[in-house]
Amino acid sequence: MGLMSAYMLQKAGHNVTIFDADGFPANNASFKAGGMLAPFAEIEHMPVTFLEPCFESIRIWQDISENGAFEFAQRGSLLLAHPQDRHMLARFAQHAPQAQITDKARIAELEPGLNNRFSDGLYLPEEAHIHPQKAMRFLIQNLQHKIQQDIDPGHISGHYDFVIDARGMASQKTDSDLRGVKGELLIVHNPDLILTRPVRLMHPRYALYIVPREGNLFMIGATNIEAEGEPRPAVKSAMELMSALVTLHPSFAEAHIVEITAGIRPSYPDNLPRITQAGNIISSNGLYRHGFLLSPVMAKCVLALVEKKRNALYILLHERGHR
Ligand SMILES: Cc1cc2nc3c(=O)[nH]c(=O)nc-3n(C[C@H](O)[C@H](O)[C@H](O)COP(=O)(O)OP(=O)(O)OC[C@H]3O[C@@H](n4cnc5c(N)ncnc54)[C@H](O)[C@@H]3O)c2cc1C
């Protein structure tokens, strides 16, 4: 959130200094994310009025993506279910009329690597994905003034026209509405499978994505656990992620584990983000499962507040009561 705000403000001609206590890139929630830009799939977690802002974010990522710097791709996502979970696809389709029903032949056309293992699916052609760590590095490279320092927004507000407070979970000390939702994910190397787009495997407990990345890497995640205390991934979650992966394609049994990691998503009770202003401090937080999906439009909103302009997302969050 902070990097994207700084990037947009700087691009608009403002003189920006960014502080992060953990350096650049920080090993924060954003650094652990999966990178799905999946508005339809996420509509379970937000009102439908957020669809347009989500698609605007995808357009912004596309606009700033340079020569594949952060693996931005908009090839849609494919939702698949094992026979016992087929009802989940039907339920999902009711909420997402844009989803195209795909049969065995269409799945084989979209992802031949899956070898006809699935007969039922849904295809959401407008969804996209990026590589979060590469996206963060891209934004960082383009920022001029970066200082590794732990700061209190209130203490520095006298030195700047505006302070953008995007401290994520660290704001919990003063913002008691914030809670942490743990997400765990797994990265593996599998040279024996080619996927061209993210696959969401309908799972009774989590929205599990398998996202292909360059170099035969695959990200699988993420869990969604209401427990912020323990930052390390649990054995149970690792087992669930791995077994889901192997049911997608047996070649994953021979894949090599690159990383198992966990992050804490800053979240408000309604799981929607908030932008508030007190004096010259603008706070932007609560991006929950949507840090990459929403930070571009949230940053645009921050820019509008700095420039005292109207902003559609601000109106949606404040005047329509989605907060
Ligand atoms: C496993 C997992 C998978 C996810 N997958 C997706 C996904 O596919 N798509 C998606 O859109 N979102 C996803 N998310 C959600 C997304 O990662 C979060 O919503 C997002 O990272 C929140 O970003 P943030 O900038 O608010 O917080 P953070 O990324 O935590 O950044 C806050 C920063 O503030 C710094 N800071 C804190 N206090 C201070 C201080 N006093 N002084 C200076 N610096 C300070 C911290 O060091 C940190 O770098 C996922 C999250 C997880 C955990």
Side-chain angles (χ1 to χ4, degrees):
M1 183 65 234
L3 291 176
M4 185 54 99
S5 303
Y7 178 83
M8 278 209 186
L9 285 159
Q10 187 182 281
K11 225 173 163 198
H14 299 280
N15 189 5
V16 182
T17 302
I18 183 156
F19 297 89
D20 197 306
D22 199 32
F24 303 94
N27 190 22
N28 54 17
S30 307
F31 205 66
K32 310 283 178 67
M36 282 303 302
L37 307 174
F40 292 124
E42 289 301 317
I43 211 61
E44 294 165 303
H45 303 280
M46 53 174 105
V48 284
T49 43
F50 276 72
L51 277 178
E52 179 40 38
C54 290
F55 280 109
E56 189 182 349
S57 277
I58 293 179
R59 290 192 292 274
I60 295 172
W61 279 118
Q62 183 166 33
D63 286 349
I64 65 175
S65 146
E66 271 172 24
N67 307 323
F70 43 85
E71 299 186 27
F72 172 89
Q74 191 172 17
R75 288 192 282 269
S77 55
L78 186 60
L79 281 63
L80 299 174
H82 293 294
Q84 69 273 20
D85 299 325
R86 197 176 287 156
H87 63 281
M88 294 173 70
L89 278 180
R91 202 172 60 209
F92 185 93
Q94 283 174 359
H95 299 292
Q98 305 78 357
Q100 299 174 6
I101 293 170
T102 53
D103 59 9
K104 203 172 189 167
R106 178 79 172 124
I107 296 170
E109 207 179 293
L110 289 166
E111 294 300 342
L114 290 177
N115 255 341
N116 287 323
R117 293 175 54 78
F118 290 85
S119 318
D120 303 282
L122 295 171
Y123 177 45
L124 293 162
E126 292 165 86
E127 298 202 324
H129 68 283
I130 56 172
H131 190 308
Q133 300 181 356
K134 289 187 180 177
M136 287 170 67
R137 289 199 173 95
F138 171 85
L139 296 173
I140 287 165
Q141 257 174 27
N142 282 282
L143 290 172
Q144 279 166 7
H145 307 295
K146 295 162 273 203
I147 301 178
Q148 179 168 1
Q149 193 180 324
D150 192 315
I151 43 128
D152 180 326
H155 289 168
I156 59 164
S157 64
H159 305 292
Y160 295 93
D161 295 333
F162 286 94
V163 173
I164 315 304
D165 177 2
R167 288 174 294 153
M169 280 308 294
S171 294
Q172 206 183 23
K173 285 171 241 157
T174 48
D175 187 348
S176 58
D177 276 359
L178 262 186
R179 76 183 199 288
V181 177
K182 186 173 174 179
E184 296 143 298
L185 62 76
L186 170 71
I187 296 172
V188 301
H189 179 242
N190 181 2
D192 297 324
L193 177 69
I194 293 172
L195 283 182
T196 55
R197 57 179 57 73
V199 170
R200 175 169 165 177
L201 194 58
M202 303 311 271
H203 184 279
R205 288 191 342 118
Y206 316 114
L208 287 186
Y209 283 99
I210 293 94
V211 183
R213 292 182 176 169
E214 281 173 15
N216 294 99
L217 296 175
F218 294 84
M219 182 290 293
I220 176 163
T223 61
N224 210 49
I225 296 170
E226 296 281 342
E228 62 196 59
E230 172 54 63
R232 293 170 298 183
V235 170
K236 182 181 168 201
S237 302
M239 282 163 56
E240 281 181 346
L241 292 173
M242 285 185 220
S243 60
L245 195 56
V246 175
T247 66
L248 182 78
H249 197 272
S251 65
F252 279 115
E254 303 299 328
H256 289 101
I257 296 169
V258 175
E259 193 179 356
I260 302 177
T261 189
I264 308 293
R265 306 174 178 99
S267 316
Y268 286 115
D270 58 3
N271 295 330
L272 295 178
R274 290 185 186 176
I275 292 194
T276 50
Q277 183 168 3
N280 68 342
I281 302 179
I282 297 170
S283 303
S284 182
N285 213 330
L287 276 83
Y288 180 53
R289 294 170 56 90
H290 312 127
F292 288 85
L293 182 57
L294 284 175
S295 57
V297 275
M298 293 281 286
K300 222 178 133 184
C301 184
V302 167
L303 175 63
L305 285 175
V306 165
E307 295 185 344
K308 300 191 171 42
K309 291 183 181 155
R310 278 175 71 81
N311 175 270
L313 181 68
Y314 192 81
I315 293 168
L316 181 66
L317 291 172
H318 289 258
E319 293 172 19
R320 298 201 188 155
H322 284 324
R323 44 156 313 206

